[in-house]
Amino acid sequence: MLSSQSSPPGAGSDVGSGWAAFGSRSGRGVVECVDLHADPGALERGGLWFVVADFEGAERGGRARAWRFAESGPPPAPRAWRGPRPDRWRSSSDQQEYEAAVSTVRARVRSGDVYQVNVCRVLSAELSPEGSEPSAAALAHRLAQGNPAPYAGAIHVPAGSGVDPVWVVSASPELFLRLDQGIVTSGPIKGTATTAAGLSAKDRAENVMITDLVRNDLQRICEPGTVGVDRLLAVEQHPGLVHLVSTVSGALRPSASPWSDVLAATMPPASVSGAPKRAALGIVDELETEPRGPYCGAVGWVDADQGAAELAVGIRTFWWSDGVLRFGTGAGITWGSDPRAEWEETELKARRLVALASGAECDP
């Protein structure tokens, strides 16, 4: 787990051979990185792997990679986090553009093309520390203090390590896939409000719709008759908001190749795509002006030796590259959507985390 103990400014370092920590698993000293689009079987050959898969997929220019580390161990002691100023963040879509996108999706629902589409925007701010990369450990520590999340984690392999670099920090509340003793479980989130009383009939209908889509995805890789909804429309409390969460599980077919088949059947995650998934992805490509990257993809770990895994949907997730820190936010759009309310939902989801990332220092 990420440490919750404070450290003096300047303590620790993220540079060197890299590290990763998601849930109960951690690693230090990167050994290799594999391209999962080219070699998904790498996750079945043994070892503990940390995964970051983009939302877009190979056919849409996205990447899916996994890193193996030499040893387990905690992340480096966090330095003070110094993020962008609050007024430096820019959005890939402003309010007028986003509300217009919501109206477009409603028209496509009315015409029968889709039932639901998740429409997102990417916030970005320049962040170029002198002489080094920003401290992923520091941001992870700050989020763990200010916005604890059940599927939080981070991975940082710096440039110059000899393998593909990566910088991702997530405070995800959503389980994408868990594999344990042959059982695959997913926990789609749909429905967000500041309090349980604020959850609407639209939220509940949307959750049921996406839960059914997840059930259909899992049926492609699970034994017939084993896929079921274990929990429907449960209310979960998270910092500053509540979510509706359902749980779907099934027994993985013995003939299924655990990761080549599983990823092909389930990526991108249903809750951040739409229904039907293929049609929804086409509309996402039409409306969104910037790739989502790790946001709305998959982040987490795969233990090939134990036949176990825990991957989160990459929401509430920051990623850094080329001197820019990014964060995504979005909402599920149905016929019952109000454009202004959907914009406000994206603001609600981003507000607390962007404020934490904009802090000058990591408070004790």
Side-chain angles (χ1 to χ4, degrees):
M1 296 292 290
L2 296 171
S3 171
S4 62
Q5 297 180 351
S6 61
S7 298
S13 174
D14 285 13
V15 299
S17 57
W19 63 274
F22 284 94
S24 62
R25 307 302 176 100
S26 61
R28 299 190 67 148
V30 69
V31 174
E32 63 176 319
C33 175
V34 297
D35 179 345
L36 295 180
H37 291 314
D39 186 16
L43 298 181
E44 300 160 29
R45 293 197 292 266
L48 176 64
W49 299 84
F50 292 88
V51 175
V52 177
D54 289 349
F55 171 80
E56 282 74 24
E59 70 283 356
R60 294 158 63 228
R63 298 180 296 176
R65 296 173 292 167
W67 291 260
R68 186 167 63 87
F69 292 81
E71 59 185 2
S72 62
R79 299 175 289 176
W81 170 252
R82 299 186 182 277
R85 290 200 335 236
D87 61 355
R88 294 302 179 102
W89 290 91
R90 299 291 180 264
S91 174
S92 59
S93 299
D94 62 22
Q95 183 172 353
Q96 182 177 1
E97 292 166 337
Y98 189 86
E99 291 183 9
V102 173
S103 296
T104 297
V105 172
R106 293 186 72 249
R108 301 293 285 272
V109 172
R110 183 175 57 191
S111 67
D113 297 337
V114 287
Y115 303 111
Q116 192 257 24
V117 178
N118 212 67
V119 178
C120 300
R121 56 194 178 97
V122 175
L123 308 180
S124 60
E126 292 186 4
L127 183 62
S128 301
E130 293 184 7
S132 68
E133 299 180 6
S135 172
L139 180 56
H141 173 71
R142 185 172 181 84
L143 297 187
Q145 289 189 314
N147 195 95
Y151 304 105
I155 178 170
H156 183 193
V157 175
S161 65
V163 302
D164 280 353
V166 63
W167 197 109
V168 171
V169 178
S170 181
S172 177
E174 182 172 357
L175 174 66
F176 173 39
L177 294 172
R178 177 184 295 119
L179 178 62
D180 184 24
Q181 298 184 348
I183 302 299
V184 183
T185 304
S186 184
I189 287 177
K190 272 297 164 205
T192 302
T194 54
T195 66
L199 294 165
S200 66
K202 179 260 183 185
D203 292 320
R204 289 184 282 275
E206 187 180 2
N207 187 288
V208 170
M209 185 186 309
I210 296 304
T211 298
D212 191 52
L213 180 56
V214 171
R215 184 178 58 83
N216 289 338
D217 283 351
L218 292 191
Q219 283 178 335
R220 298 170 60 190
I221 53 172
C222 289
E223 291 276 21
T226 66
V227 176
V229 178
D230 306 313
R231 185 176 64 154
L232 184 65
L233 300 176
V235 177
E236 285 190 1
Q237 298 280 344
H238 294 273
L241 48 78
V242 298
H243 286 307
L244 283 176
V245 184
S246 297
T247 306
V248 184
S249 66
L252 188 68
R253 289 198 312 266
S255 60
S257 177
W259 293 106
S260 55
D261 291 347
V262 168
L263 294 177
T266 59
M267 283 291 290
S271 65
V272 289
S273 301
K277 188 183 283 189
R278 184 176 295 276
L281 291 175
I283 295 173
V284 166
D285 287 341
E286 292 175 21
L287 297 178
E288 296 185 14
T289 60
E290 186 168 331
R292 297 186 192 179
Y295 169 60
C296 291
V299 295
W301 57 268
V302 173
D303 188 331
D305 297 328
Q306 299 294 321
E310 190 168 86
L311 300 174
V313 179
I315 57 175
R316 317 293 196 271
T317 295
F318 294 89
W319 69 106
W320 179 90
S321 65
D322 301 323
V324 178
L325 184 66
R326 295 178 174 86
F327 178 86
T329 185
I333 312 305
T334 68
W335 173 247
S337 292
D338 173 76
R340 175 68 178 273
E342 300 294 359
W343 167 264
E344 290 299 332
E345 181 173 323
T346 71
E347 291 279 278
L348 171 64
K349 291 173 177 175
R351 187 175 298 124
R352 183 184 187 93
L353 286 155
V354 170
L356 287 168
S358 297
E361 293 186 357
C362 183
D363 298 326

